[in-house]
Amino acid sequence: MAILTVRYGRQWLIPEAAGGGYCAVRRGLSEENGLPNAMRATTLGEMARRLAVERKRENRPAGH
């Protein structure tokens, strides 16, 4: 959990989810570029993969 917080904590709040698993809520919610403002994962590994994908999507030039 600490690694995810260090790596993604500036853009995402990452608490444990009620009922198990983890959730991530984007800081400074935004609807632009079709990016999600929240996501849920069963394991920290799954959350790490999903956050990595979102970081790539965030860094894509507009229109790609």
Side-chain angles (χ1 to χ4, degrees):
M1 178 71 111
I3 293 171
L4 289 182
T5 301
V6 168
R7 187 170 290 163
Y8 301 106
R10 295 185 89 186
Q11 293 86 14
W12 295 89
L13 176 63
I14 311 166
E16 290 185 37
Y22 300 88
C23 62
V25 178
R26 189 182 299 275
R27 296 178 188 270
L29 300 178
S30 172
E31 295 292 326
E32 67 184 56
N33 298 328
L35 299 174
N37 288 323
M39 65 179 97
R40 184 177 167 97
T42 304
T43 66
L44 285 174
E46 179 186 356
M47 182 60 74
R49 287 187 295 279
R50 295 186 72 187
L51 289 169
V53 167
E54 286 308 308
R55 177 168 282 166
K56 288 179 185 176
R57 290 180 67 199
E58 291 166 359
N59 293 328
R60 275 192 311 201
H64 287 99

